[in-house]
Amino acid sequence: REGSILVTGGAGYIGSHAVLALLDSGWRVVVVDNLVTGFDWAVDSRATLVRGAIEDDELVRATMREHDVRAVMHFAGSVVVPESVTDPLKYYRNNTAASRSLIESAVACGVKHFIFSSTAATYGTPEVVPVHEDAPKAPINPYGTSKLMTEMMLRDVAAAHDFNYCALRYFNVAGADPQGRSGQSTAGATHLIKIAVEAATGKRGNVSVFGTDYDTRDGTGVRDYIHVSDLAAAHVDALDLLIVKPEASHTMNCGYGRGYSVLEVLDAVDRVTNMKLDRRMEGRRAGDPAELVADNSRILATLPWRPERDDLDQIVTDALAWERRLSERTDR
Ligand code: UFG
């Protein structure tokens, strides 16, 4: 494990779990995060935290040199889909333009490997589910477009420079570190499992079910929920692959390859808590596809990675445990 890994957005939800996975597998880690949506306490004390913007070339390049950075894992960005519709330029700035600066800094500093947080939102509303990486990329919101544009930059930079990358397209990320070291902490959640565990811990009164007339087994939306610690582990394996085979780049779905409906998720929360959530049946939320499930055959064929926490009740149990810890903290 020579050199260190620069993790942007390492104070955020998924980034902080990747920091743990890297540290636990023996890497040195330096985090660059502006702490706009992240928290300094979310960064494990074994890592170095540099507070700043990824488009601050001077800061990023100094950090790359000082810490002998070997690879970048790029999590920083804006992630709220409806906000991307009302404020698209924020997404093209924080996701696309900031990524452009970061990639340029990596090339300038001779950092040859790059792992990028992409999204199933790059597919838009897929025609075939489970969705394969080669399916048409047709994002239906600026969030998805801003991420797809970054994938395209990476592809072109890898063709032109001594540089390879792995774009990981996340499906629905949920859960929390099973050891209770991190979890989803950002206020104003929109994600189903986060909202459900907030309701289960009394932070909100009820849970809305958006749409009960989809063409799915029970009429509610179906998603492929992946445990955040499994997702973090996939990043560490992807990093190893980029280093061992520097001539190849990859784009891979990150999901378990099967979906759960909204009602199945809420049933799991009821089971785990032994309570009954107050469910409110409502109309569809704009822009939601009926079903989004990953074809994960490529990641299974490419990486040694295997799902270890592919269990909805486990995902809910870990999310709930984190939600309870969060309530105990006064500074959260
Ligand atoms: N849902 C509810 N009630 C809620 C919240 C969500 O019924 O209070 C439903 C949604 O309608 C959907 C499912 O639960 O059917 C999951 O919704 P989330 O908001 O948890 O997640 P999304 O599938 O909308 O979003 C995820 C990622 C995005 C990404 C998107 C498309 O969070 O970053 O998938 O790939 F863009």
Side-chain angles (χ1 to χ4, degrees), residues 27 32 51 83 98 123 126-127 164 172 185 206 222 236 246:
W27 283 104
V32 174
R51 182 176 183 168
E83 184 192 46
Y123 299 114
E127 271 170 28
N164 68 344
N172 288 62
S185 310
N206 54 61
V222 169
V236 178

Side-chain angles (χ1 to χ4, degrees), residues 79 81 119-121 143 170-172 190-192 195 207-210 221-223 225 262 285 288 292:
V79 298
V81 172
T119 170
Y143 169 69
Y170 309 160
F171 282 65
N172 288 62
T190 59
H191 291 166
L192 178 63
I195 282 175
V207 181
S208 299
V209 176
F210 295 136
V222 169
R223 295 290 183 275
Y225 295 92
V262 173
R285 194 172 65 176
D288 275 354
L292 201 50

Side-chain angles (χ1 to χ4, degrees), residues 180-236:
R181 296 172 295 178
S182 193
Q184 170 68 279
S185 310
T186 316
T190 59
H191 291 166
L192 178 63
I193 292 181
K194 174 74 176 173
I195 282 175
V197 298
E198 283 181 356
T201 51
K203 293 178 190 170
R204 58 172 80 223
N206 54 61
V207 181
S208 299
V209 176
F210 295 136
T212 52
D213 58 349
Y214 286 109
D215 184 17
T216 58
R217 48 188 174 268
D218 61 18
T220 66
V222 169
R223 295 290 183 275
D224 187 337
Y225 295 92
I226 177 171
H227 194 294
V228 64
S229 297
D230 267 345
L231 181 65
H235 288 71
V236 178

